[in-house]
Amino acid sequence: MKTKHLVSSVLVVLVLLVTACSPQATPTTAPPPTEAPAVIPATGGTVVNLGQNDSLGSFLVDDKGMTLYLFTKDTPNTTVCYEKCATAWPPLLTAGDPVAGDGADASLLGTTNRTDGTIQVTYNGWPLYYCEKDKAPGDVTGQDVGGVWYVLSAAGEKMAAATVNLGTNGTLGSFLVDDKGMTLYLFTKDTPNTTVCYEKCAVAWPPLLTTGAPVAGEGVDASLFGTTTRTDGAVQVTYNGWPLYYYEKDKAPGDVTGQDVGGVWYVISAEGDQVTTP
């Protein structure tokens, strides 16, 4: 009997030892739910380039060649295009300082904060937009829509059929101005219907561009109008053979700070002649 009891005891001990040494099943628990990854905003500045087509010459586009527009109801560095407007005219946004591509002027690039916290690119103070109806690079279906949407030149000016009027002041008498009353100038180093003002010159003296036949206001001789094609493809207005320009230091209608600068820049009369300072 003692032997049986001893054998039974040994068997119990062996069973316990085997159980103790066996690998234990690890209890499994469901992993915590994985949260959806946050949307990572694009980094780096949006690139603005120059594109072109046969009808408009050169104008601003994005890095994929899609046309960019200004909205004349905006004010400098401030957009008023929201809700339905922003659906039809999506803003050009950036996640960093915008970058000037080939032909664009880096000094004219800027940004403005939209009410939703996004940052919109500006050029020469104009907030930039796409047109939802443009489907491919080079499309310009937004040009002159409603008389308030326009493509932009490299100088940051709207590209439209230019209107030339007559302005006046007590010193110089009558001279050519644009449709907003900004003074226009001739450059005596130009030759008939040919401009030599490019690069830094064209930054200081932006050309008067047009996308159609120039329009003569009251007192202006339509027969003296012409155009000249610049090396970038833009079309500049001429009058009596003189290519016409603005002056960057003129800030308001009637300013004539460009008059007689360097003895080569002058306002121009209705007859198409340079006006000398009395």
Side-chain angles (χ1 to χ4, degrees), residues 10 31 35 43 52 68 73 91 100 104 115 127 130 146 163 168 175 198 219 241 243 260 274:
V10 171
E35 294 183 0
T43 57
Q52 68 174 44
L68 299 171
K73 292 185 178 182
T115 56
Y130 298 102
T163 297
T168 185
F175 49 87
Y198 289 101
D260 203 16
Q274 71 182 58

Side-chain angles (χ1 to χ4, degrees), residues 39 41-42 46 77-79 81-83 86 89-96 98 110-122 127-129:
V39 176
T46 297
N77 299 301
T78 303
T79 175
C81 183
Y82 290 99
E83 298 176 349
W89 302 90
L92 176 66
L93 303 178
T94 188
T111 59
T112 184
N113 293 321
R114 296 178 61 83
T115 56
D116 63 359
T118 57
I119 299 174
Q120 185 171 0
V121 180
T122 65
L128 299 181
Y129 306 85

Side-chain angles (χ1 to χ4, degrees), residues 126-224:
W126 291 109
L128 299 181
Y129 306 85
Y130 298 102
C131 176
E132 66 167 347
K133 293 184 178 179
D134 287 349
K135 302 304 180 184
D139 285 354
V140 288
T141 60
Q143 173 65 2
D144 202 14
V145 167
V148 292
W149 293 95
Y150 297 95
V151 300
L152 293 85
S153 70
E157 305 291 340
K158 75 174 185 180
M159 296 180 63
T163 297
V164 177
N165 295 318
L166 275 186
T168 185
N169 72 19
T171 302
L172 299 175
S174 297
F175 49 87
L176 300 187
V177 298
D178 73 359
D179 58 341
K180 294 183 177 61
M182 297 302 294
T183 304
L184 299 170
Y185 298 86
L186 62 78
F187 183 34
T188 60
K189 292 186 178 182
D190 285 342
T191 53
N193 298 300
T194 303
T195 176
V196 294
C197 183
Y198 289 101
E199 298 176 349
K200 290 182 179 179
C201 175
V203 173
W205 301 89
L208 174 64
L209 302 178
T210 188
T211 59
V215 178
E218 186 176 356
V220 176
D221 187 346
S223 70
L224 296 180

